[in-house]
Amino acid sequence: MPFQKNSLDLIWSEGAIDNIGFEKGLSHWHDFLKKEGFVAVTCPSWLTIEQPTVVQKFWTDAGSRLDSISENIETMQKCGYQFIASFALPEQCWTVNYFIRREKAINKLLEKYVGNEFTNCPIYLFPLMWVIVKNGSKPS
């Protein structure tokens, strides 16, 4: 990224960190933050003990991971951040405010791509977890 080291007060990322990996992204961002800077980030997270194999395979095949909130917090601390707060977005954010509104578009895609291997797969809801952390000293 074209930012100077120690130049940012805040990095705000809604779902984008998963593109490069949670730990890799946090490690990369660390040097751009000022000493007292903050990161506010969302990432898909397990909120249940049950972790269906098909879902785990989806994330692995996509080159990503799906960890629990506590595992994500540990990763943040390992990357040199001080945990401030976390919360899961309410289910309504994804059902009423997103999935229901997208239902017509999804149905059109399913009609367009009939026979595609993914049109018969179940759709799982992956809640996002917001985590806010403060820059600390980078671990050695």
Side-chain angles (χ1 to χ4, degrees):
M1 288 192 265
F3 301 111
Q4 298 293 318
K5 288 186 176 189
N6 303 312
S7 65
L8 302 176
D9 292 309
L10 171 68
I11 295 176
W12 187 282
S13 173
E14 295 187 46
I17 196 169
D18 198 52
N19 293 316
I20 61 172
F22 194 64
E23 185 171 353
K24 182 177 179 180
L26 289 169
S27 294
H28 184 69
W29 294 346
H30 193 277
D31 290 337
F32 297 116
L33 285 176
K34 292 179 181 177
K35 183 175 176 15
E36 298 293 316
F38 290 86
V39 171
V41 61
T42 63
C43 64
S45 302
W46 286 113
L47 299 180
T48 62
I49 294 172
E50 179 187 350
Q51 300 177 358
T53 304
V54 66
V55 176
Q56 291 177 355
K57 182 177 179 343
F58 168 83
W59 287 96
T60 301
D61 290 351
S64 188
R65 295 177 54 122
L66 191 61
D67 292 320
S68 68
I69 292 174
S70 61
E71 289 169 322
N72 287 330
I73 291 169
E74 286 176 23
T75 297
M76 294 179 130
Q77 291 170 332
K78 178 181 166 188
C79 292
Y81 296 94
Q82 176 188 348
F83 174 72
I84 302 295
S86 73
F87 62 92
L89 294 177
E91 185 176 330
Q92 180 177 340
C93 288
W94 292 102
T95 54
V96 174
N97 297 333
Y98 182 75
F99 284 117
I100 291 174
R101 294 179 184 194
R102 300 292 302 157
E103 187 172 7
K104 286 182 183 179
I106 290 170
N107 286 335
K108 285 182 183 179
L109 286 172
L110 293 175
E111 289 172 14
K112 182 177 179 178
Y113 296 103
V114 171
N116 181 292
E117 64 179 303
F118 295 107
T119 59
N120 295 323
C121 292
I123 296 175
Y124 291 95
L125 175 63
F126 299 107
L128 289 180
M129 167 198 72
W130 268 106
V131 178
I132 301 169
V133 292
K134 182 177 175 182
N135 197 3
S137 60
K138 192 159 189 170
S140 49

